[in-house]
Amino acid sequence: MAVRAVRGAVQLERDEAGHMHDQVSALMTSVLERNGLTSGDLISVWFTATPDLHSDFPAAAARKLGIVDVPLICAQELDVAGAMPRVVRVLAHIESDLPRSEINHVYLGAAAALRKDIAQ
């Protein structure tokens, strides 16, 4: 079994904890489903959020999904002028037999514009 990385992102409509939980849950669920994974396949997960998001930690949504025995960490994205606002990104390290070319990176909604080259 190989170690792989899966990327993804979602843009929030507003900075509210409940909305963040819903959107990050949808992102993590899509990452798992589109790659045929369970939480047992996760090694670790990095979340980043743009500096305009303050309502909660994105990792809290993953914990509510039942991802409880996986190391999670949150960090703040660089504050780059003109960058898309209210974005949560994820970088999940996984165990998978999929070759790199078959990993499905997940960019939901408007966040698909961030990586048109790999968004599914």
Side-chain angles (χ1 to χ4, degrees):
M1 183 116 8
V3 174
R4 300 285 185 229
V6 183
R7 289 285 319 270
V10 64
Q11 184 183 39
L12 278 61
E13 294 174 14
R14 59 194 174 281
D15 184 23
E16 294 176 1
H19 179 61
M20 179 183 287
H21 287 201
D22 291 345
Q23 295 300 305
V24 173
S25 293
L27 176 61
M28 288 303 298
T29 299
S30 292
V31 164
L32 294 172
E33 288 177 354
R34 292 183 192 183
N35 289 286
L37 303 169
T38 68
S39 62
D41 298 314
L42 296 170
I43 297 169
S44 64
V45 182
W46 279 83
F47 292 96
T48 63
T50 51
D52 51 1
L53 294 175
H54 308 279
S55 62
D56 204 354
F57 297 100
R63 295 287 185 226
K64 284 187 173 184
L65 275 178
I67 302 172
V68 296
D69 60 349
V70 176
L72 308 176
I73 193 164
C74 297
Q76 188 176 77
E77 279 290 326
L78 295 173
D79 192 8
V80 176
M84 184 180 288
R86 301 176 317 282
V87 174
V88 174
R89 290 174 173 85
V90 64
L91 172 63
H93 300 97
I94 63 169
E95 291 181 318
S96 176
D97 288 326
L98 290 174
R100 283 187 186 141
S101 62
E102 292 183 24
I103 296 292
N104 291 298
H105 304 282
V106 179
Y107 290 79
L108 299 179
L114 295 171
R115 290 299 305 266
K116 292 178 183 174
D117 57 325
I118 63 173
Q120 303 294 313

